[in-house]
Amino acid sequence: MTACRPAEPEPASKGIALMKYVVLGAGPAGVTAAETLRSVDPNASITLIGGEPEPPYSRMALPYLIYGKIGEDGTQLRQDPGHYDQQRIRYIMGRCGGIDSRSKQLFLSTGETLPYDKLLIATGASPIRPPIPGSNLEGVENCWTLEDARNILKYADKGSPVVLVGAGFIGSIILEALYLRGCKITVVEVAPRMVARMMDETAGGMLGRWCEAKGVQVLTNTRVTGIAKGAEGGARLSVRFSNGLSEPADLAVLAVGVRSNTGFLVGSGVAVNTGIVVDEYLQTTAKDIYAAGDCCEGIDLSTGKPDMLAIQPVAVEHGRIAALNMAGRKHRHRGSLNMNVLDTMGLISSSFGLWQGAQVGETGKLIDEHAFKYMKLEFEGDKLVGAQCVGMTDHVGMLRGLIQTGFHMGEWKDKLLAAPERLREAYVSVSQRAPTTGPTAPHVKTPVVEVSHAGASGH
Amino acid sequence: MLKALVIDAGNCTGCKQCEMACSLENEGEFNAAKSRIRVFDFHTEARFVPYTCTQCDEAWCQQACPVNAITTDSLGVKVVHDNLCVGCKVCTIACPFGTVNYNASTGKVIKCDLCGGKPACADACPTGAITYQDVEQGGFDKMKVWATQSANAATYDGPNVPKGSQASGTGH
Ligand SMILES: Cc1cc2nc3c(=O)[nH]c(=O)nc-3n(C[C@H](O)[C@H](O)[C@H](O)COP(=O)(O)OP(=O)(O)OC[C@H]3O[C@@H](n4cnc5c(N)ncnc54)[C@H](O)[C@@H]3O)c2cc1C
Ligand code: SF4
Ligand code: SF4
């Protein structure tokens, strides 16, 4: 790998040669990176390329567009229309068809060739189209782009029958949006439970029961075997299942997983595994090319191994760190914490880190099936390494704090194993020392800790 | 002049006036469950710790928000804009201090915004455990000590350090 080679000799012209940064992809990773580059390099030329004919927007906001909580404007990553001009970030649209990492240029579908000094690839991922007969029919949609969301709005109205294929994390988010839009939903999932890759049987089972109580038909252990045009005068489609039954649908939404967008990298010298391979500085195997977000395999904090986590906070984290490294401010990425929060028609669940448990560890559980409440804490030694919650939202961020920090829980470990609901007390207790002044302070004063402020401020 | 909430847990008697004042000021009702400041009660130690957002410089909640609904005002305070918030709750799992929370009755999140510069909790606190002080008057250092004890969340011997913050961990 060619990390950290001295910079090429600058052209000896008068003044300073301006750095040319190109950021490919205008999702959260790309936009954050472009802004970070601007904040550390006031003079550089920064070009941000979006692959869709839209202002930079957030895929995460699409469900809220679908049920009318926001309009299209509300999906934008930055609200001020003049934001990119003001930051002197040139925002252009075009699909990248290839990269020449030797001559350091990038080719766009528009015919434009862009030279770069440093390039960030932040092209995200695309939904997998399962090989289901009829999946190219009108009314069979993904829910991934703004265009997809517009189609969903077109095909499904209040009362429309809809089949949702996939009840993973993203599928379940779409489920809620379709429900709040007033659609009549059947959700089909190959796995034995909902959100199988985010939560365990107990939690997945609770979600399933909750959905059924809300009038959603949940078919687990079931595949879609084919989609056909519906009968004349009836619903647009007819969706067949592996259990032999079929359902009419005006809309079928496919949410069966995503794959990193890396097709244009063939022959570029940028190595790709399931996502773009990056080192701990988010640099790819090609010189001066970095990658961030859903398109790459960054380090998973919990395992220390590369993995595609495909969540918004990770995309932003990658974007910032990659940009700092591109600008020559070495910043090692120690890994991102996998975490999700999900609202399923009012039942809120979350999972963090090694929610499946450590290889050798201990588990504290609190289950109230009746009240739809569940909390499970996973320990390795006396550190919290993973957690799942259903039906509790108060201060859940503390779980991230404890896991990410790796606090030694000490005596609190046993207390939490016995009573996970004491989490907040435990958090405050291990993260805050006892008071050093006032009536409840110790009578012999303990020395005050020196706190270094160096580097604690923002850029 | 920058001001900050300074919390001296040692003076807290657990009366929870701050929670009531906060809920009334921000939600128009006496409902401790909707207070942005919480007093944690350690029964066995007869110890109380008021706890709220420390308005991080580089705020995790703000960076995680998909629609830029959390912005920084002129006082450095991180403010949630209800008109932009979609209620996705990502900020609630991103804040490692757990101080931004979902409010099911509005479908949005709530966090301390220092009441726009007149924090009701500090006014309500009868013992001076919560005060609102000029940063320059030394209070801020205390605040930082308090904050970094949990901001260790970022720096202790844990595996991750957020960008920028390198304050040394204090251990226990
Ligand atoms: C419906 C839905 C709900 C979600 N909900 C959540 C949630 O609740 N929590 C969460 O954490 N995450 C959620 N996610 C996932 C989250 O949106 C992604 O992890 C995040 O968008 C990744 O950001 P990114 O910048 O890496 O990629 P993207 O946001 O996918 O952006 C990629 C950019 O690259 C462009 N591009 C792609 N290929 C090319 C090319 N060849 N040439 C030029 N440009 C190209 C695209 O047009 C786009 O601008 C959700 C996703 C969806 C679809
Ligand atoms: S809510 Fe949390 S992340 Fe946001 S500013 Fe407050 S303490 Fe920091
Ligand atoms: S809940 Fe609101 S403020 Fe929090 S991340 Fe989502 S949109 Fe932003």
Side-chain angles (χ1 to χ4, degrees):
Chain A
M1 204 168 313
T2 53
C4 205
R5 218 187 268 164
E8 239 74 76
E10 305 272 279
S13 60
K14 43 190 166 356
I16 314 141
L18 294 186
M19 222 23 181
K20 269 199 282 314
Y21 294 111
V22 174
V23 176
L24 181 64
V31 166
T32 303
E35 290 169 348
T36 307
L37 285 168
R38 176 53 76 222
S39 71
V40 295
D41 191 341
N43 299 316
S45 130
I46 302 172
T47 305
L48 175 67
I49 307 171
E52 296 156 54
E54 325 280 0
Y57 72 95
S58 180
R59 305 201 187 289
M60 264 195 72
L62 299 176
Y64 307 94
L65 172 65
I66 289 171
Y67 74 86
K69 192 169 189 173
I70 51 170
E72 283 199 9
D73 281 1
T75 66
Q76 292 181 20
L77 278 160
R78 301 293 177 256
Q79 306 299 329
D80 173 6
H83 176 75
Y84 301 96
D85 287 344
Q86 202 179 33
Q87 295 260 312
R88 288 171 292 117
I89 293 169
R90 183 166 84 107
Y91 178 56
I92 61 171
M93 282 166 230
R95 306 284 305 178
C96 175
I99 291 170
D100 185 337
S101 59
R102 241 162 307 154
S103 64
K104 298 177 92 168
Q105 34 186 1
L106 158 152
F107 310 102
L108 291 185
S109 55
T110 52
E112 197 174 346
T113 299
L114 282 178
Y116 63 82
D117 293 320
K118 307 257 181 191
L119 170 67
L120 178 70
I121 304 172
T123 47
S126 293
I128 296 169
R129 283 303 272 214
I132 298 172
S135 62
N136 53 352
L137 286 172
E138 194 178 324
V140 183
E141 302 293 331
N142 293 124
C143 180
W144 195 254
T145 63
L146 204 42
E147 192 54 31
D148 292 339
R150 293 183 190 118
N151 287 334
I152 290 173
L153 292 180
K154 190 162 77 189
Y155 293 122
D157 241 318
K158 202 170 159 66
S160 302
V162 175
V163 171
L164 173 65
V165 187
F169 171 60
I170 303 269
S172 298
I173 290 177
I174 301 168
L175 172 70
E176 150 126 333
L178 292 169
Y179 174 84
L180 292 171
R181 188 167 171 75
C183 302
K184 204 175 144 289
I185 309 165
T186 301
V187 56
V188 196
E189 170 58 55
V190 200
R193 63 173 190 271
M194 294 178 69
V195 289
R197 283 169 42 220
M198 170 182 160
M199 281 185 287
D200 68 9
E201 294 80 7
T202 309
M206 276 185 188
L207 259 66
R209 277 195 295 123
W210 181 269
C211 289
E212 276 163 0
K214 294 273 173 182
V216 171
Q217 180 177 199
V218 183
L219 305 175
T220 47
N221 290 312
T222 310
R223 277 178 307 114
V224 170
T225 52
I227 306 174
K229 276 217 165 94
E232 201 68 42
R236 183 173 290 111
L237 303 165
S238 169
V239 185
R240 239 174 316 110
F241 308 125
S242 55
N243 63 8
L245 302 176
S246 62
E247 280 287 340
D250 283 334
L251 167 75
V253 180
L254 305 176
V256 299
V258 298
R259 192 176 289 136
S260 296
N261 290 327
T262 58
F264 59 93
L265 290 171
V266 176
S268 66
V270 175
V272 176
N273 200 354
T274 52
I276 296 168
V277 176
V278 288
D279 66 12
E280 51 195 352
Y281 299 93
L282 291 163
Q283 187 164 26
T284 70
T285 52
K287 184 173 183 291
D288 296 327
I289 304 183
Y290 294 73
D294 282 9
C295 67
C296 77
E297 290 180 343
I299 296 163
D300 178 343
L301 180 67
S302 299
T303 61
K305 299 213 173 71
D307 196 3
M308 179 201 171
L309 296 178
I311 52 170
Q312 162 98 14
V314 171
V316 172
E317 212 163 279
H318 281 179
R320 281 183 66 92
I321 295 175
L324 291 175
N325 284 312
M326 288 166 77
R329 307 203 175 189
K330 280 240 150 201
H331 216 95
R332 194 160 77 84
H333 179 227
R334 305 176 99 183
S336 304
L337 185 67
N338 197 10
M339 55 186 183
N340 287 116
V341 59
L342 179 65
D343 193 336
T344 313
M345 301 172 278
L347 184 64
I348 298 167
S349 54
S350 52
S351 80
F352 300 81
L354 296 178
W355 58 267
Q356 315 90 320
Q359 260 168 0
V360 183
E362 284 161 280
T363 304
K365 259 195 241 188
L366 169 82
I367 309 181
D368 186 341
E369 291 274 0
H370 209 69
F372 290 94
K373 278 204 188 316
Y374 182 44
M375 188 172 190
K376 193 169 168 191
L377 302 178
E378 302 290 352
F379 289 89
E380 187 173 8
D382 73 344
K383 292 182 180 179
L384 189 70
V385 294
Q388 299 174 64
C389 302
V390 178
M392 355 193 140
T393 57
D394 254 17
H395 301 95
V396 280
M398 288 177 174
L399 288 167
R400 181 202 189 166
L402 291 175
I403 297 171
Q404 180 136 4
T405 310
F407 276 119
H408 291 285
M409 301 303 291
E411 53 168 22
W412 274 100
K413 175 186 157 188
D414 286 336
K415 293 184 194 166
L416 286 175
L417 284 174
E421 68 277 14
R422 295 186 70 188
L423 169 80
R424 285 169 283 171
E425 253 180 281
Y427 177 89
V428 174
S429 191
V430 301
S431 68
Q432 314 265 309
R433 295 170 349 122
T436 48
T437 62
T440 58
H443 295 291
V444 181
K445 245 184 155 21
T446 44
V448 176
V449 200
E450 276 300 314
V451 174
S452 144
H453 292 258
S457 67
H459 307 281
Chain B
M1 190 184 301
L2 282 181
K3 291 180 107 183
L5 274 186
V6 177
I7 293 179
D8 186 347
N11 279 330
C12 177
T13 58
C15 73
K16 310 210 173 184
Q17 298 274 356
C18 53
E19 291 186 355
M20 289 305 164
C22 175
S23 154
L24 185 65
E25 170 77 24
N26 294 294
E27 302 296 322
E29 55 179 304
F30 286 111
N31 181 356
K34 287 188 184 164
S35 173
R36 291 141 164 84
I37 188 163
R38 291 293 179 84
V39 178
F40 291 97
D41 192 339
F42 294 83
H43 301 282
T44 48
E45 302 163 42
R47 178 155 89 84
F48 304 94
V49 181
Y51 188 71
T52 191
C53 165
T54 60
Q55 318 293 347
C56 312
D57 284 338
E58 304 221 353
W60 310 75
C61 59
Q62 183 174 42
Q63 292 181 9
C65 178
V67 291
N68 212 22
I70 304 178
T71 60
T72 308
D73 77 4
S74 56
L75 299 170
V77 178
K78 305 299 179 290
V79 183
V80 180
H81 298 274
D82 270 359
N83 58 328
L84 297 176
C85 173
V86 296
C88 72
K89 309 167 199 71
V90 164
C91 54
T92 71
I93 58 168
C95 165
F97 311 102
T99 50
V100 50
N101 282 296
Y102 183 61
N103 179 358
S105 45
T106 57
K108 319 248 167 183
V109 293
I110 51 180
K111 71 178 281 301
C112 170
D113 59 3
L114 295 178
C115 299
K118 283 201 270 327
C121 56
D123 275 354
C125 178
T127 65
I130 308 171
T131 49
Y132 189 53
Q133 294 185 12
D134 293 337
V135 171
E136 284 80 359
Q137 288 178 359
F140 192 61
D141 282 345
K142 245 198 214 161
M143 161 82 176
K144 278 280 181 187
V145 170
W146 181 80
T148 39
Q149 278 161 14
S150 44
N152 279 335
T155 54
Y156 185 47
D157 72 338
N160 205 12
V161 178
K163 40 274 155 181
S165 113
Q166 304 291 343
S168 58
T170 55
H172 308 283

